[in-house]
Amino acid sequence: MLAINPEKQLRLREEICEILPSPWSPLTTENSKNMPYLRACFKESLRIMPITPGNMRTTVKDLVLSGYQIPAGSNVLMGVMALANTDKYFPKSRQFLPERWLKNDESAGLKARNAFVYAPFGTGPRTCIGKRIAEMEIETLLVRLIRNYHISWSGKEELKYESNIITKPCGEIKFKFEPIR
Ligand code: HEM
C-alpha cells in the first residue's frame, strides 16, 4: 500500500524522521508511542487487505440477527474483507486513506459507518491473542524500512493476493528499495 501510494509513504517518513533523526537513532517504547500516522497506515492496510478475510462463530443458542432466525449450532461467517471494502461502510473504500484513522479533522467524512465492520484481529473474548506482538513487530520493521529506504513497486501489475483462510501474496513480488541519503 505504501509502495503504490508514494505521497502517503512520504508523510509517514516525515513522521518517522521527527522521531528518528538519524538512520541509527534507537526506537524505544517511549518514542514509538507518538506515531499516529504509522498506526493509521497499519490499520488502513489491514482494512484493504486483511490477513484473515473472514471470521466465524458457531452459535450456542437460537438467535435473531438482523431479522434472520439463526438456530443454535449454525456457523455464522463475518465477511471482514468484504465489509471493510465497500462504500456502504467506508467512504472512498477503494482508496488507501490512512487519514481516516487519525484523531483529527482529516478523518472527517472518512470514518467507518459501523463500529463492528472493522475487525482484522477478530472481536470479543476470542480476539487475536497475538495482536500486540504482531503490531509491534510490523511497526518496528516498517519504521526501519521507511526511515532508510524509498520503497516503490516495479511490478507490471498490482500485487495480487489469494485467499484461503489466510490472505497471502501470489505472483511476482517486485518491490524496489532505494536507500535514502
Ligand atoms: C497481523 C497479524 C495477525 C492477524 C491479522 C491476526 C488475526 C487473527 C484473527 C482474525 C483471529 C481470530 C479472532 C476471533 O475469532 O475473533 C486470531 C486468533 C488468534 N491469533 Fe492472531 N493474528 C495475527 C498475528 C498473531 C500472532 C503474531 C500470534 C501469536 C503470537 C497470534 C495468535 C493468535 C491466537 C492464539 C489466536 C486464537 C485466539 C482464541 O481463539 O482465543 N496471532 N488472529
Side-chain angles (χ1 to χ4, degrees):
M1 289 293 129
L2 289 166
I4 58 173
N5 291 277
E7 71 293 352
K8 309 293 181 196
Q9 188 183 143
L10 188 61
R11 178 164 176 185
L12 175 58
R13 185 170 301 108
E14 282 166 6
E15 178 178 276
I16 295 171
C17 286
E18 290 259 315
I19 286 157
L20 306 181
S22 94
W24 307 277
S25 304
L27 185 62
T28 63
T29 322
E30 278 315 307
N31 66 14
S32 62
K33 277 183 191 152
N34 192 20
M35 294 195 181
Y37 202 71
L38 173 69
R39 299 272 141 83
C41 288
F42 180 61
K43 291 185 92 168
E44 183 69 345
S45 303
L46 278 183
R47 177 186 72 78
I48 294 177
M49 219 179 280
I51 292 162
T52 40
N55 197 358
M56 203 167 73
R57 292 287 186 270
T58 305
T59 56
V60 291
K61 57 181 180 184
D62 294 346
L63 292 173
V64 177
L65 292 177
S66 303
Y68 293 91
Q69 287 195 323
I70 317 286
S74 305
N75 292 331
V76 179
L77 181 76
M78 292 160 273
V80 174
M81 185 181 244
L83 289 170
N85 280 279
T86 160
D87 283 3
K88 183 174 174 194
Y89 294 121
F90 280 95
K92 302 185 183 172
S93 66
R94 293 179 69 86
Q95 293 179 40
F96 178 71
L97 294 172
E99 290 73 13
R100 70 172 91 241
W101 302 102
L102 295 177
K103 290 181 183 134
N104 64 23
D105 294 349
E106 291 176 84
S107 61
L110 295 172
K111 285 188 178 144
R113 295 189 169 122
N114 180 314
F116 293 98
V117 292
Y118 181 76
F121 288 97
T123 184
R126 301 304 295 266
T127 194
C128 176
I129 201 170
K131 178 175 184 242
R132 300 279 175 227
I133 200 162
E135 279 171 353
M136 190 183 70
E137 287 186 341
I138 294 168
E139 288 179 5
T140 305
L141 178 68
L142 257 186
V143 164
R144 286 291 170 209
L145 287 177
I146 300 290
R147 172 65 187 80
N148 295 315
Y149 298 92
H150 173 71
I151 305 172
S152 54
W153 177 251
S154 59
K156 287 191 196 79
E157 297 177 321
E158 272 182 24
L159 175 64
K160 299 227 178 331
Y161 52 93
E162 63 185 11
S163 194
N164 269 320
I165 291 176
I166 301 291
T167 311
K168 60 174 186 180
C170 63
E172 284 189 318
I173 299 181
K174 289 263 186 185
F175 290 107
K176 188 172 170 193
F177 293 84
E178 292 167 273
I180 288 169
R181 305 279 164 218

